[in-house]
Amino acid sequence: MFADYTWTELGSIFAMQGFAGLILFSVFVLMALGLAIIFGQMGVINMAHGEFMILGAYVTYLCSNFVEAFIPALFGVYFFFAMILAFFAAGALGALVEWSLIRHLYRRPLDTLLATWGLSLILQQAYRSIFGAREVGVTLPNWLLGSVPLSDIIEIPINGIFVMVLTLVIAVSVYFLMFRSRTGMQSRAVVQNRVMAGAVGINTERVDRMTFALGCGIAGVAGSAFTMIGSTGPTAGQLYIVDTFLIVVFGGAASLLGTIASSFAISQAQSTMEFFLSGSMAKVLTLLTVVGILMLRPEGLFSHKIRR
């Protein structure tokens, strides 16, 4: 297999696979970060996470059409406004869902799974009724198109670089919010000991609502970013939900660092194996490897002791 390539060509090929793995890693982090906050911090199994992502994608689609039709002068920068709107739209819907549904089901994880699965079906049908069953695409600004050549063989797509930078910004922002702010301190206090947190005056219901809204808002930003690499349809969110849960569980349900580490490990393994095998076989082998590791270490790569 490698006999037809020179060492330089092999190095370039593996470098391209490494960059592809980094882009996939960024996509996985964006997918899983919001779910890690909801599942890890609150213990809620949100099967509608993919639909919150698709809401962000549809908001970006609407912004693209609106700006292109009515404010073409701002088309070059509309994507930044679309991501902000996607965050607030998904976050607002998340806060509404938490208030009307999730808050009644805390400490009942199987019930939250069934309830959010039903919610995902409702949202899918709502998207189908509003936007139609066909997939839609977003027109990107010119500066997000094309690629950056690193050599005669290696080229990195600009939208992939943008996704990596966006992932870094969001990950750093979430770190400072969760570990360097009063809101994050209150959220971690509720996770570690809900009864004691309430006893010292923390409004645990408000913290739960804001945490759920934050996780859904990040999912909306992820959906906005995904419009650069794929089309959007009513059921597109279901394509990501399995990978997202796999990453969160493998990294450790209550660990944001574990989510990032597992995203990197799974993306690089999958990207490397895709060079030798088919894409479906690479996914199967990655899944079997993760399952084997979880059998030996059920708490995931990183774990925290949590008191309820």
Side-chain angles (χ1 to χ4, degrees):
M1 178 179 180
F2 298 109
D4 298 332
Y5 298 98
T6 65
W7 286 105
T8 302
E9 290 174 334
L10 283 175
S12 299
I13 291 173
F14 279 110
M16 291 178 64
Q17 289 299 119
F19 282 120
L22 287 177
I23 295 174
L24 185 61
F25 158 68
S26 302
V27 171
F28 280 169
V29 171
L30 278 178
M31 287 195 304
L33 205 55
L35 186 63
I37 293 173
I38 295 173
F39 183 47
Q41 303 291 320
M42 304 174 64
V44 173
I45 303 176
N46 183 17
M47 294 299 294
H49 186 75
E51 280 61 48
F52 285 99
M53 293 164 53
I54 298 308
L55 174 61
Y58 275 125
V59 168
T60 305
Y61 167 72
L62 293 176
C63 287
S64 171
N65 291 346
F66 178 82
V67 173
E68 190 174 19
F70 298 102
I71 323 175
L74 297 179
F75 190 76
V77 295
Y78 89 88
F79 207 85
F80 297 101
F81 297 104
M83 286 191 296
I84 295 173
L85 288 176
F87 175 83
F88 283 106
L93 179 60
L96 177 62
V97 169
E98 196 282 336
W99 174 80
S100 60
L101 179 66
I102 301 299
R103 69 190 178 104
H104 304 291
L105 302 175
Y106 285 126
R107 299 190 181 184
R108 294 157 61 186
L110 292 181
D111 289 347
T112 62
L113 186 152
L114 292 174
T116 55
W117 178 66
L119 176 65
S120 73
L121 297 180
I122 293 173
L123 291 176
Q124 288 176 31
Q125 186 57 48
Y127 298 152
R128 190 175 289 108
S129 300
I130 297 172
F131 299 101
R134 300 182 62 180
E135 294 186 341
V136 297
V138 170
T139 304
L140 296 176
N142 291 330
W143 62 272
L144 281 175
L145 304 176
S147 59
V148 177
L150 296 184
S151 67
D152 294 336
I153 301 177
I154 303 175
E155 292 186 352
I156 304 177
I158 294 176
N159 57 6
I161 297 175
F162 181 81
V163 171
M164 287 191 284
V165 174
L166 176 64
T167 301
L168 179 63
V169 171
I170 291 178
V172 172
S173 300
V174 170
Y175 169 79
F176 278 100
L177 178 64
M178 298 302 295
F179 297 98
R180 292 291 185 269
S181 70
R182 181 180 179 85
T183 300
M185 180 178 64
Q186 291 179 347
S187 177
R188 288 183 288 115
V190 172
V191 170
Q192 293 175 7
N193 195 319
R194 177 178 296 271
V195 175
M196 185 59 69
V200 298
I202 296 176
N203 187 338
T204 58
E205 292 185 359
R206 179 179 178 274
V207 169
D208 288 337
R209 190 161 302 132
M210 295 302 295
T211 302
F212 194 87
L214 174 64
C216 294
I218 294 175
V221 176
S224 182
F226 291 156
T227 58
M228 294 185 292
I229 58 177
S231 55
T232 301
T235 60
Q238 295 300 308
L239 301 175
Y240 307 113
I241 193 67
V242 175
D243 286 335
T244 304
F245 271 105
L246 182 67
I247 289 167
V248 172
V249 173
F250 182 50
S255 173
L256 297 180
L257 177 61
T259 298
I260 295 175
S262 64
S263 297
F264 182 80
I266 291 175
S267 63
Q268 290 298 327
Q270 188 170 309
S271 178
T272 302
M273 284 191 289
E274 282 179 355
F275 178 72
F276 302 98
L277 306 168
S278 64
S280 58
M281 185 59 67
K283 277 185 171 293
V284 169
L285 289 179
T286 302
L287 175 61
L288 290 177
T289 302
V290 171
V291 170
I293 294 174
L294 287 175
M295 290 177 67
L296 299 174
R297 189 178 175 83
E299 68 273 17
L301 296 179
F302 297 83
S303 61
H304 296 292
K305 292 182 180 179
I306 299 175
R307 296 189 300 269
R308 295 295 184 185

